[in-house]
Amino acid sequence: MEQLLHLRRHSVVPMVLRRMRAPLITLIVSYSVSVLGLVLIPGASADGTPYRMDFLNAFYVVSYTATTIGFGEIPHAYSGVQRLWMTLSLYLVVIAWFYAIGTIVGLVRDPAFQQAVTWNRFRHQVQGLAEPFHLVCGYGDTGAQLVQEITDGDGRAVVLERVEGHTYELGIEDLRSYVPRFSGDDSNVDNLLAAGITQAHCRSVLAVTDDDHANLQIAITAKLLNPSLPVIARSGNDETHANMASFGTDYIVSAFDTFAGGFAMAIESPRLHRVYEWMSPRPEIPLTSERLPPPGRWIVCAPGRLGKRLCQRLAPTDTEVVLVSAEKPAWMAADQPHVPGKGTEAETLKQAGIEGQDTVGVIAGTDDDADNLSIVMTARELRPELFITARLNARANRRVFEAAELDMIMEPSGIIALRIMRVLSTPRLPQFLRRLRDYDDARIGELLEHWQQLMGTETPRIRAFTVGPQEMPAVADALPRRPVTLEALLRDPRQRDETLPAEVLMLERDGELTLLPEPGVRLEIGDTVLICARADALGPLSWTVNNLDVFRYVMTGEQRPDGWLWRRLAERRVPEHRRA
């Protein structure tokens, strides 16, 4: 595998030698002829004694003559023949040098040479990384958000992007760490190898280009070259999704599927949607108002996959959907309501029933931001009280969409980036949220109220700990001697009688998940605990599970000095009769 990293076509030295072959031969020949002629032509000293210049002195004279420095006629004044030869030699070697320098300049300006130099520099930068990093393939809107999130979290990222201008933007971004980047085919095997896809420090491959085929090729390459490496890929259609799933892509993210599922959840189980929003620092489907999408009749102006996903997800919620698109799609049943058009005209929306009292909202989900805003403005004029949702395709237009005061904004790139960051940072949180759907909405509402009373309404921190020497060394050390319960983890290490504003959401043991386990459950080595905590409680919690003395105090109330010096000082404070 390592041999593949030394492909000849990426090596700079052979390219330089190949391009400089003719100029170097010209230089050698011109110097050789000039030196030989100067050696063969006889000269005379000041007193008339004949002499011949040796090769060393001849080479010295030709060398400084070629540079036009002109140290004069040494060691003696030249004869007329010598001066004529030196004049010819001067033009000969200077022209040879111009030819060589011109070739070098042309080589440096050659895009292929620049690409080879950049590729090698990129490869060396990646090989020099001593910290774990994530390989981001594609630096569009989604890739840019991922790199920002990763570096904000003190992580490292490596970027492959086929559009050269995008990597320039990366160079001027205000990131917390340097991001090695290369502009080239992000699905090319050589580029992926140079980007560290087989390196031990590579933690994941994020295939988030806007080309489904490229994402598929990246996922296949990663799985073949490094099967244990987690691969998260973006998919834009069902065929690619199925193809990726067939060879074991770890996570496949679709913005339309995620949005449609979240939208249906907000209608069917609004309290569960509130939990999603509360636990996410940046909700996948952000509500820009306090209102949730109400149940009722919806007009969906979204041709293509988004419209299909919304119709499929909303059908089980008994929500009536009127699809507005240029043509009725083949997947729609004959009795499903459809209105031809784009939705930008008032007449089309009236045909879709926007004036009916059972209509509660409009979704502007075309792939054109101007059309979506037009749909929004038209709908507002007809029914200003409706719940309005719009799809934001280009992040550059976000301020315009925010100015429109929409109830909900659907931004595909943001949805994909957040879903991937959730997988990377708290991979067990989606498991918990999926299991939470088994609860009825009233019970979820009670839990949310309890959690917010305990931890406040601000976004909590979610953290998973595995009982063992790596993540919970203090707990792992104590378990052989005494039982440790979940309740003990949440005691305040500054005052053990008090409890931290935190909650154990889930316990994983031997692959079995237990939602909201009882506080008295005893921990075992290998257990994974998912904890939700107020921001200021995460530090004390980490202190408890990592520090042996702190954990001893939390469990027993005993405060024992640690270290040789502190133990000796403590012994000196004990009276002599007690020491005896």
mmCIF file of all heavy atoms in Angstrom, residues 510-549:
data_model
loop_
_atom_site.group_PDB
_atom_site.id
_atom_site.type_symbol
_atom_site.label_atom_id
_atom_site.label_comp_id
_atom_site.label_asym_id
_atom_site.label_seq_id
_atom_site.Cartn_x
_atom_site.Cartn_y
_atom_site.Cartn_z
ATOM 1 N N ASP A 510 -23.404 -4.910 27.176
ATOM 2 C CA ASP A 510 -23.396 -6.086 26.294
ATOM 3 C C ASP A 510 -24.331 -5.889 25.100
ATOM 4 O O ASP A 510 -25.055 -6.815 24.691
ATOM 5 C CB ASP A 510 -23.797 -7.341 27.079
ATOM 6 C CG ASP A 510 -22.834 -7.633 28.213
ATOM 7 O OD1 ASP A 510 -21.642 -7.297 28.057
ATOM 8 O OD2 ASP A 510 -23.285 -8.180 29.247
ATOM 9 N N GLY A 511 -24.348 -4.676 24.549
ATOM 10 C CA GLY A 511 -25.157 -4.403 23.370
ATOM 11 C C GLY A 511 -26.615 -4.114 23.654
ATOM 12 O O GLY A 511 -27.382 -3.799 22.751
ATOM 13 N N GLU A 512 -27.028 -4.239 24.917
ATOM 14 C CA GLU A 512 -28.428 -3.986 25.277
ATOM 15 C C GLU A 512 -28.565 -2.572 25.834
ATOM 16 O O GLU A 512 -27.790 -2.162 26.704
ATOM 17 C CB GLU A 512 -28.898 -5.014 26.309
ATOM 18 C CG GLU A 512 -30.374 -4.886 26.652
ATOM 19 C CD GLU A 512 -30.832 -5.968 27.619
ATOM 20 O OE1 GLU A 512 -30.095 -6.968 27.774
ATOM 21 O OE2 GLU A 512 -31.898 -5.803 28.220
ATOM 22 N N LEU A 513 -29.547 -1.848 25.337
ATOM 23 C CA LEU A 513 -29.745 -0.463 25.745
ATOM 24 C C LEU A 513 -30.865 -0.376 26.775
ATOM 25 O O LEU A 513 -31.923 -0.983 26.613
ATOM 26 C CB LEU A 513 -30.099 0.406 24.536
ATOM 27 C CG LEU A 513 -29.097 0.400 23.378
ATOM 28 C CD1 LEU A 513 -29.581 1.289 22.249
ATOM 29 C CD2 LEU A 513 -27.729 0.873 23.858
ATOM 30 N N THR A 514 -30.613 0.385 27.838
ATOM 31 C CA THR A 514 -31.639 0.649 28.850
ATOM 32 C C THR A 514 -31.859 2.149 28.917
ATOM 33 O O THR A 514 -30.952 2.909 29.272
ATOM 34 C CB THR A 514 -31.195 0.124 30.226
ATOM 35 O OG1 THR A 514 -30.896 -1.270 30.121
ATOM 36 C CG2 THR A 514 -32.283 0.337 31.252
ATOM 37 N N LEU A 515 -33.074 2.566 28.566
ATOM 38 C CA LEU A 515 -33.383 3.987 28.590
ATOM 39 C C LEU A 515 -33.707 4.421 30.013
ATOM 40 O O LEU A 515 -34.405 3.715 30.769
ATOM 41 C CB LEU A 515 -34.576 4.259 27.676
ATOM 42 C CG LEU A 515 -34.363 5.311 26.586
ATOM 43 C CD1 LEU A 515 -33.275 4.831 25.657
ATOM 44 C CD2 LEU A 515 -35.655 5.548 25.814
ATOM 45 N N LEU A 516 -33.224 5.562 30.412
ATOM 46 C CA LEU A 516 -33.496 6.173 31.708
ATOM 47 C C LEU A 516 -33.378 5.144 32.833
ATOM 48 O O LEU A 516 -34.354 4.850 33.540
ATOM 49 C CB LEU A 516 -34.889 6.810 31.712
ATOM 50 C CG LEU A 516 -35.140 7.811 30.570
ATOM 51 C CD1 LEU A 516 -36.583 8.250 30.552
ATOM 52 C CD2 LEU A 516 -34.211 8.998 30.708
ATOM 53 N N PRO A 517 -32.191 4.556 33.024
ATOM 54 C CA PRO A 517 -32.018 3.522 34.057
ATOM 55 C C PRO A 517 -32.213 4.102 35.459
ATOM 56 O O PRO A 517 -32.035 5.300 35.684
ATOM 57 C CB PRO A 517 -30.579 3.052 33.832
ATOM 58 C CG PRO A 517 -29.897 4.217 33.192
ATOM 59 C CD PRO A 517 -30.931 4.879 32.343
ATOM 60 N N GLU A 518 -32.557 3.232 36.384
ATOM 61 C CA GLU A 518 -32.763 3.650 37.772
ATOM 62 C C GLU A 518 -31.435 4.083 38.392
ATOM 63 O O GLU A 518 -30.373 3.538 38.056
ATOM 64 C CB GLU A 518 -33.347 2.499 38.587
ATOM 65 C CG GLU A 518 -34.749 2.093 38.171
ATOM 66 C CD GLU A 518 -35.751 3.203 38.412
ATOM 67 O OE1 GLU A 518 -35.579 3.966 39.394
ATOM 68 O OE2 GLU A 518 -36.678 3.346 37.594
ATOM 69 N N PRO A 519 -31.458 5.053 39.332
ATOM 70 C CA PRO A 519 -30.211 5.529 39.944
ATOM 71 C C PRO A 519 -29.444 4.434 40.682
ATOM 72 O O PRO A 519 -28.224 4.511 40.818
ATOM 73 C CB PRO A 519 -30.693 6.610 40.922
ATOM 74 C CG PRO A 519 -32.029 7.029 40.404
ATOM 75 C CD PRO A 519 -32.633 5.829 39.772
ATOM 76 N N GLY A 520 -30.146 3.401 41.158
ATOM 77 C CA GLY A 520 -29.478 2.360 41.931
ATOM 78 C C GLY A 520 -28.818 1.284 41.104
ATOM 79 O O GLY A 520 -28.237 0.335 41.664
ATOM 80 N N VAL A 521 -28.867 1.381 39.794
ATOM 81 C CA VAL A 521 -28.239 0.355 38.941
ATOM 82 C C VAL A 521 -26.723 0.372 39.153
ATOM 83 O O VAL A 521 -26.092 1.423 39.148
ATOM 84 C CB VAL A 521 -28.572 0.620 37.456
ATOM 85 C CG1 VAL A 521 -27.781 -0.327 36.558
ATOM 86 C CG2 VAL A 521 -30.064 0.472 37.220
ATOM 87 N N ARG A 522 -26.177 -0.844 39.386
ATOM 88 C CA ARG A 522 -24.722 -0.948 39.609
ATOM 89 C C ARG A 522 -23.981 -1.018 38.282
ATOM 90 O O ARG A 522 -24.398 -1.722 37.365
ATOM 91 C CB ARG A 522 -24.412 -2.186 40.436
ATOM 92 C CG ARG A 522 -24.956 -2.106 41.859
ATOM 93 C CD ARG A 522 -24.530 -3.334 42.651
ATOM 94 N NE ARG A 522 -24.972 -3.250 44.037
ATOM 95 C CZ ARG A 522 -24.686 -4.165 44.950
ATOM 96 N NH1 ARG A 522 -23.949 -5.246 44.615
ATOM 97 N NH2 ARG A 522 -25.118 -4.036 46.195
ATOM 98 N N LEU A 523 -22.855 -0.321 38.243
ATOM 99 C CA LEU A 523 -22.047 -0.294 37.025
ATOM 100 C C LEU A 523 -21.159 -1.526 36.938
ATOM 101 O O LEU A 523 -20.769 -2.094 37.960
ATOM 102 C CB LEU A 523 -21.189 0.967 36.995
ATOM 103 C CG LEU A 523 -21.920 2.282 36.708
ATOM 104 C CD1 LEU A 523 -21.001 3.466 36.965
ATOM 105 C CD2 LEU A 523 -22.436 2.322 35.276
ATOM 106 N N GLU A 524 -20.816 -1.893 35.712
ATOM 107 C CA GLU A 524 -19.878 -2.976 35.457
ATOM 108 C C GLU A 524 -18.850 -2.494 34.432
ATOM 109 O O GLU A 524 -19.119 -1.583 33.649
ATOM 110 C CB GLU A 524 -20.618 -4.209 34.916
ATOM 111 C CG GLU A 524 -21.603 -4.804 35.899
ATOM 112 C CD GLU A 524 -22.339 -6.011 35.311
ATOM 113 O OE1 GLU A 524 -21.947 -6.433 34.188
ATOM 114 O OE2 GLU A 524 -23.261 -6.514 35.965
ATOM 115 N N ILE A 525 -17.687 -3.147 34.470
ATOM 116 C CA ILE A 525 -16.651 -2.813 33.494
ATOM 117 C C ILE A 525 -17.198 -3.039 32.078
ATOM 118 O O ILE A 525 -17.788 -4.079 31.797
ATOM 119 C CB ILE A 525 -15.390 -3.676 33.710
ATOM 120 C CG1 ILE A 525 -14.762 -3.363 35.068
ATOM 121 C CG2 ILE A 525 -14.373 -3.445 32.596
ATOM 122 C CD1 ILE A 525 -14.160 -1.977 35.185
ATOM 123 N N GLY A 526 -17.001 -2.058 31.210
ATOM 124 C CA GLY A 526 -17.475 -2.162 29.824
ATOM 125 C C GLY A 526 -18.805 -1.479 29.590
ATOM 126 O O GLY A 526 -19.210 -1.316 28.438
ATOM 127 N N ASP A 527 -19.504 -1.082 30.660
ATOM 128 C CA ASP A 527 -20.761 -0.348 30.492
ATOM 129 C C ASP A 527 -20.481 1.010 29.849
ATOM 130 O O ASP A 527 -19.441 1.634 30.102
ATOM 131 C CB ASP A 527 -21.437 -0.112 31.848
ATOM 132 C CG ASP A 527 -22.072 -1.377 32.408
ATOM 133 O OD1 ASP A 527 -22.105 -2.378 31.676
ATOM 134 O OD2 ASP A 527 -22.530 -1.343 33.569
ATOM 135 N N THR A 528 -21.424 1.473 29.058
ATOM 136 C CA THR A 528 -21.349 2.830 28.506
ATOM 137 C C THR A 528 -22.553 3.620 29.008
ATOM 138 O O THR A 528 -23.696 3.154 28.902
ATOM 139 C CB THR A 528 -21.343 2.811 26.972
ATOM 140 O OG1 THR A 528 -20.172 2.119 26.528
ATOM 141 C CG2 THR A 528 -21.310 4.217 26.417
ATOM 142 N N VAL A 529 -22.262 4.786 29.553
ATOM 143 C CA VAL A 529 -23.305 5.617 30.157
ATOM 144 C C VAL A 529 -23.433 6.903 29.351
ATOM 145 O O VAL A 529 -22.446 7.605 29.123
ATOM 146 C CB VAL A 529 -22.945 5.955 31.622
ATOM 147 C CG1 VAL A 529 -24.075 6.728 32.281
ATOM 148 C CG2 VAL A 529 -22.645 4.687 32.408
ATOM 149 N N LEU A 530 -24.652 7.202 28.907
ATOM 150 C CA LEU A 530 -24.919 8.451 28.194
ATOM 151 C C LEU A 530 -25.527 9.438 29.184
ATOM 152 O O LEU A 530 -26.583 9.169 29.768
ATOM 153 C CB LEU A 530 -25.882 8.215 27.032
ATOM 154 C CG LEU A 530 -26.171 9.436 26.158
ATOM 155 C CD1 LEU A 530 -24.919 9.856 25.384
ATOM 156 C CD2 LEU A 530 -27.318 9.162 25.180
ATOM 157 N N ILE A 531 -24.822 10.552 29.388
ATOM 158 C CA ILE A 531 -25.223 11.506 30.419
ATOM 159 C C ILE A 531 -25.528 12.856 29.788
ATOM 160 O O ILE A 531 -24.805 13.329 28.908
ATOM 161 C CB ILE A 531 -24.110 11.653 31.480
ATOM 162 C CG1 ILE A 531 -23.926 10.336 32.225
ATOM 163 C CG2 ILE A 531 -24.439 12.766 32.462
ATOM 164 C CD1 ILE A 531 -22.831 10.358 33.265
ATOM 165 N N CYS A 532 -26.614 13.455 30.243
ATOM 166 C CA CYS A 532 -26.998 14.804 29.829
ATOM 167 C C CYS A 532 -26.770 15.718 31.042
ATOM 168 O O CYS A 532 -27.248 15.421 32.143
ATOM 169 C CB CYS A 532 -28.474 14.777 29.419
ATOM 170 S SG CYS A 532 -29.159 16.384 29.028
ATOM 171 N N ALA A 533 -26.030 16.796 30.851
ATOM 172 C CA ALA A 533 -25.674 17.636 32.000
ATOM 173 C C ALA A 533 -25.696 19.110 31.626
ATOM 174 O O ALA A 533 -25.520 19.461 30.445
ATOM 175 C CB ALA A 533 -24.282 17.258 32.522
ATOM 176 N N ARG A 534 -25.936 19.935 32.620
ATOM 177 C CA ARG A 534 -25.804 21.367 32.398
ATOM 178 C C ARG A 534 -24.341 21.678 32.078
ATOM 179 O O ARG A 534 -23.440 20.964 32.526
ATOM 180 C CB ARG A 534 -26.251 22.131 33.647
ATOM 181 C CG ARG A 534 -26.681 23.562 33.384
ATOM 182 C CD ARG A 534 -27.342 24.139 34.594
ATOM 183 N NE ARG A 534 -26.403 24.292 35.712
ATOM 184 C CZ ARG A 534 -26.757 24.571 36.971
ATOM 185 N NH1 ARG A 534 -28.050 24.706 37.249
ATOM 186 N NH2 ARG A 534 -25.861 24.695 37.910
ATOM 187 N N ALA A 535 -24.111 22.726 31.312
ATOM 188 C CA ALA A 535 -22.756 23.000 30.821
ATOM 189 C C ALA A 535 -21.742 23.066 31.953
ATOM 190 O O ALA A 535 -20.638 22.505 31.851
ATOM 191 C CB ALA A 535 -22.753 24.294 30.016
ATOM 192 N N ASP A 536 -22.098 23.715 33.080
ATOM 193 C CA ASP A 536 -21.140 23.860 34.168
ATOM 194 C C ASP A 536 -20.998 22.599 35.014
ATOM 195 O O ASP A 536 -20.188 22.560 35.940
ATOM 196 C CB ASP A 536 -21.518 25.047 35.054
ATOM 197 C CG ASP A 536 -22.905 24.876 35.670
ATOM 198 O OD1 ASP A 536 -23.618 23.939 35.266
ATOM 199 O OD2 ASP A 536 -23.274 25.673 36.556
ATOM 200 N N ALA A 537 -21.784 21.551 34.734
ATOM 201 C CA ALA A 537 -21.687 20.316 35.524
ATOM 202 C C ALA A 537 -20.794 19.276 34.858
ATOM 203 O O ALA A 537 -20.399 18.297 35.503
ATOM 204 C CB ALA A 537 -23.081 19.722 35.736
ATOM 205 N N LEU A 538 -20.481 19.475 33.600
ATOM 206 C CA LEU A 538 -19.700 18.456 32.892
ATOM 207 C C LEU A 538 -18.261 18.382 33.420
ATOM 208 O O LEU A 538 -17.683 17.294 33.520
ATOM 209 C CB LEU A 538 -19.686 18.776 31.386
ATOM 210 C CG LEU A 538 -19.330 17.611 30.469
ATOM 211 C CD1 LEU A 538 -20.281 16.437 30.672
ATOM 212 C CD2 LEU A 538 -19.346 18.062 29.016
ATOM 213 N N GLY A 539 -17.713 19.533 33.809
ATOM 214 C CA GLY A 539 -16.352 19.536 34.355
ATOM 215 C C GLY A 539 -16.253 18.755 35.660
ATOM 216 O O GLY A 539 -15.420 17.844 35.789
ATOM 217 N N PRO A 540 -17.093 19.061 36.683
ATOM 218 C CA PRO A 540 -17.062 18.265 37.916
ATOM 219 C C PRO A 540 -17.344 16.786 37.683
ATOM 220 O O PRO A 540 -16.754 15.924 38.348
ATOM 221 C CB PRO A 540 -18.168 18.910 38.765
ATOM 222 C CG PRO A 540 -18.268 20.310 38.262
ATOM 223 C CD PRO A 540 -17.972 20.232 36.800
ATOM 224 N N LEU A 541 -18.227 16.487 36.735
ATOM 225 C CA LEU A 541 -18.532 15.090 36.440
ATOM 226 C C LEU A 541 -17.287 14.360 35.898
ATOM 227 O O LEU A 541 -16.963 13.242 36.322
ATOM 228 C CB LEU A 541 -19.667 15.036 35.415
ATOM 229 C CG LEU A 541 -20.188 13.659 35.034
ATOM 230 C CD1 LEU A 541 -20.755 12.939 36.245
ATOM 231 C CD2 LEU A 541 -21.256 13.791 33.956
ATOM 232 N N SER A 542 -16.582 14.998 34.989
ATOM 233 C CA SER A 542 -15.356 14.402 34.453
ATOM 234 C C SER A 542 -14.297 14.276 35.542
ATOM 235 O O SER A 542 -13.531 13.312 35.579
ATOM 236 C CB SER A 542 -14.809 15.258 33.304
ATOM 237 O OG SER A 542 -15.735 15.335 32.257
ATOM 238 N N TRP A 543 -14.260 15.239 36.451
ATOM 239 C CA TRP A 543 -13.327 15.214 37.571
ATOM 240 C C TRP A 543 -13.585 13.983 38.438
ATOM 241 O O TRP A 543 -12.671 13.273 38.857
ATOM 242 C CB TRP A 543 -13.505 16.513 38.370
ATOM 243 C CG TRP A 543 -12.384 16.845 39.296
ATOM 244 C CD1 TRP A 543 -11.086 16.451 39.211
ATOM 245 C CD2 TRP A 543 -12.491 17.654 40.464
ATOM 246 N NE1 TRP A 543 -10.373 16.967 40.248
ATOM 247 C CE2 TRP A 543 -11.206 17.711 41.033
ATOM 248 C CE3 TRP A 543 -13.541 18.334 41.077
ATOM 249 C CZ2 TRP A 543 -10.949 18.428 42.207
ATOM 250 C CZ3 TRP A 543 -13.282 19.054 42.234
ATOM 251 C CH2 TRP A 543 -11.999 19.098 42.787
ATOM 252 N N THR A 544 -14.848 13.715 38.692
ATOM 253 C CA THR A 544 -15.215 12.586 39.563
ATOM 254 C C THR A 544 -14.757 11.257 38.971
ATOM 255 O O THR A 544 -14.169 10.425 39.674
ATOM 256 C CB THR A 544 -16.741 12.554 39.766
ATOM 257 O OG1 THR A 544 -17.147 13.750 40.416
ATOM 258 C CG2 THR A 544 -17.158 11.354 40.597
ATOM 259 N N VAL A 545 -15.034 11.036 37.703
ATOM 260 C CA VAL A 545 -14.766 9.711 37.126
ATOM 261 C C VAL A 545 -13.297 9.510 36.764
ATOM 262 O O VAL A 545 -12.894 8.387 36.460
ATOM 263 C CB VAL A 545 -15.649 9.476 35.877
ATOM 264 C CG1 VAL A 545 -17.114 9.547 36.239
ATOM 265 C CG2 VAL A 545 -15.315 10.457 34.762
ATOM 266 N N ASN A 546 -12.506 10.596 36.782
ATOM 267 C CA ASN A 546 -11.091 10.465 36.400
ATOM 268 C C ASN A 546 -10.120 10.519 37.569
ATOM 269 O O ASN A 546 -9.029 9.959 37.487
ATOM 270 C CB ASN A 546 -10.721 11.573 35.396
ATOM 271 C CG ASN A 546 -11.240 11.289 33.992
ATOM 272 O OD1 ASN A 546 -10.712 10.433 33.301
ATOM 273 N ND2 ASN A 546 -12.282 11.985 33.589
ATOM 274 N N ASN A 547 -10.478 11.187 38.645
ATOM 275 C CA ASN A 547 -9.553 11.393 39.753
ATOM 276 C C ASN A 547 -9.848 10.411 40.886
ATOM 277 O O ASN A 547 -10.959 10.379 41.430
ATOM 278 C CB ASN A 547 -9.675 12.844 40.252
ATOM 279 C CG ASN A 547 -8.570 13.185 41.228
ATOM 280 O OD1 ASN A 547 -8.482 12.631 42.317
ATOM 281 N ND2 ASN A 547 -7.714 14.120 40.820
ATOM 282 N N LEU A 548 -8.858 9.617 41.283
ATOM 283 C CA LEU A 548 -9.064 8.591 42.310
ATOM 284 C C LEU A 548 -9.464 9.191 43.648
ATOM 285 O O LEU A 548 -10.355 8.685 44.344
ATOM 286 C CB LEU A 548 -7.786 7.759 42.464
ATOM 287 C CG LEU A 548 -7.311 6.990 41.223
ATOM 288 C CD1 LEU A 548 -6.016 6.253 41.523
ATOM 289 C CD2 LEU A 548 -8.373 6.014 40.754
ATOM 290 N N ASP A 549 -8.809 10.277 44.048
ATOM 291 C CA ASP A 549 -9.107 10.884 45.351
ATOM 292 C C ASP A 549 -10.484 11.525 45.366
ATOM 293 O O ASP A 549 -11.220 11.421 46.356
ATOM 294 C CB ASP A 549 -8.035 11.922 45.695
ATOM 295 C CG ASP A 549 -6.679 11.267 45.918
ATOM 296 O OD1 ASP A 549 -6.637 10.218 46.580
ATOM 297 O OD2 ASP A 549 -5.678 11.788 45.413
#
